[in-house]
Amino acid sequence: ASLQMKAICDAHGIAYVHLLQPNQYVPDSKPLTEEELEHAYNAEQPIRERVVNGYPLLIEAGEGLRQAGVRFVDLTRMFADERRSIYSDPCCHVNELGARLIAERMAATIVAEHAAVAAAGGDPSDA
């Protein structure tokens, strides 16, 4: 699907970036706070097993997307050093701080891609 999205975007001069969102069940991806352990983590949550087993496959597939020319960014470890509460429920949703931090990372990624294209002599509007 990501390759198709890139092809559609490329055909219309639209930049495409595939971001893999963080999740609290990715092992060692964030030191969970007491608040998160109480409200945003549940070892019995069905999604936990899917994340533990599936995210390594998504990360590996992301490398394949990169090799195929897709701008793929793995955000799963972006909270590895974050000591504040980020997750707001036992599924995958983040609080306002988490949303802001993800938005800032997304914006920085887009700006960096734009700059890289310009530095390479391309049209920055293609980034």
Side-chain angles (χ1 to χ4, degrees):
S2 193
L3 292 173
Q4 290 298 313
M5 288 292 294
K6 180 186 182 315
I8 291 167
C9 290
D10 286 351
H12 296 281
I14 300 168
Y16 175 69
V17 179
H18 184 127
L19 299 147
L20 181 58
Q21 76 178 43
N23 186 286
Q24 67 265 46
Y25 298 110
V26 173
D28 302 317
S29 62
K30 183 185 183 306
L32 298 176
T33 65
E34 287 185 32
E35 178 184 2
E36 287 171 317
L37 288 169
E38 185 176 335
H39 299 289
Y41 185 89
N42 178 352
E44 302 302 316
Q45 172 72 7
I47 195 173
R48 188 192 69 76
E49 184 177 339
R50 286 177 268 193
V51 168
V52 168
N53 294 322
Y55 261 65
L57 300 174
L58 293 173
I59 292 165
E60 182 180 328
E63 290 303 317
L65 289 173
R66 257 195 217 111
Q67 292 174 6
V70 173
R71 292 174 183 101
F72 174 83
V73 180
D74 176 2
L75 300 181
T76 58
R77 301 208 32 87
M78 74 174 281
F79 298 130
D81 296 321
E82 181 59 62
R83 302 288 185 219
R84 298 170 289 181
S85 292
I86 295 294
Y87 295 102
S88 62
D89 67 27
C91 172
C92 56
H93 300 105
V94 296
N95 59 23
E96 186 176 335
L97 172 62
R100 182 175 51 81
L101 293 173
I102 291 170
E104 288 172 356
R105 178 68 63 87
M106 291 169 66
T109 298
I110 292 166
V111 167
E113 290 294 337
H114 186 2
V117 169
D123 181 349
S125 64
D126 291 338

